[in-house]
Amino acid sequence: MTGAASTQSMTTQQRRAIVVLSMAAVAAILLVVTAVAGGYRINLTLSEPLGLWRIIRLHRPVAIDDLVFICPPETAAMRTARARGYLRSGSCPGGVAPLVKTVIAVAGQHVEIGVSMSVDGRGVSSSSLAQRDGKGRPLTPFPSGIVPPGYVFLHSAFSGSYDSRYFGPLPASGILGLAQEVFTYVP
């Protein structure tokens, strides 16, 4: 092979590589856009199993024991949670990812928070309060009280979950839909 033929061959190989990589990048972008538009999300938090989830539009009022995706409002508690790394980056207000939590109380129900939690006098399993987070920083429990109209109280049984025990009830208007596991695992 002559020097010119060798150079031309390299250029052709480089072009092919660029075309293949470009097509792969476009396919990956289209896959991500389609997944997000179809309601698919990846959960990387330890509040529920890690992996691929789907948001199912809710065509009824939210109910006790619904596992939901919810965007938290921009509050001081959420800004602190973001700064401490409890919340991942995402498309909700404040640039955070939706939370995946179970609704344990709705408007009008009384939530009691002590060593653990109860709703209308019934104990909530796996609801012991932590005094400190995984890095030793203090955690302040939310005061007990009645869930106000238009709000929900959220919980996750996973150890170390940052939920309504610490930030209180959230507006039900932030609910994106029911959370459905697609391909998940518990680490």
Side-chain angles (χ1 to χ4, degrees):
M1 224 189 251
T2 65
S6 176
T7 304
Q8 186 178 6
S9 176
M10 286 291 276
T11 305
T12 301
Q13 288 177 347
Q14 288 173 338
R15 282 190 204 132
R16 284 185 184 149
I18 290 170
V19 167
V20 168
L21 289 174
S22 297
M23 288 173 49
V26 167
I29 291 169
L30 287 173
L31 180 63
V32 168
V33 168
T34 301
V36 169
Y40 290 90
R41 299 290 186 273
I42 294 176
N43 178 45
L44 298 173
T45 68
L46 297 176
S47 292
E48 292 297 333
L50 303 176
L52 184 63
W53 291 73
R54 183 165 183 229
I55 299 173
I56 305 296
R57 187 166 224 120
L58 191 58
H59 297 289
R60 59 169 173 73
V62 67
I64 303 299
D65 293 329
D66 280 346
L67 182 62
V68 297
F69 275 99
I70 186 168
C71 281
E74 291 186 82
T75 63
M78 292 303 161
R79 285 189 289 279
T80 299
R82 173 69 189 236
R84 288 185 169 195
Y86 303 159
L87 306 177
R88 304 280 188 229
S89 295
S91 59
C92 291
V96 299
L99 305 176
V100 184
K101 305 287 182 196
T102 300
V103 175
I104 62 161
V106 294
Q109 291 189 287
H110 183 263
V111 178
E112 183 72 31
I113 300 175
V115 173
S116 62
M117 194 169 43
S118 66
V119 176
D120 291 339
R122 290 183 307 276
V124 176
S125 66
S126 302
S127 67
S128 297
L129 267 70
Q131 299 301 312
R132 300 194 173 279
D133 69 11
K135 293 186 178 180
R137 297 171 292 200
L139 289 169
T140 305
F142 190 79
S144 302
I146 304 290
V147 178
Y151 283 73
V152 293
F153 206 87
L154 306 167
H155 176 255
S156 171
F158 277 66
S159 177
S161 173
Y162 187 68
D163 53 40
S164 288
R165 291 175 285 182
Y166 307 104
F167 55 71
L170 295 185
S173 60
I175 294 174
L176 302 174
L178 297 174
Q180 178 186 51
E181 291 181 60
V182 176
F183 183 74
T184 62
Y185 71 97
V186 177

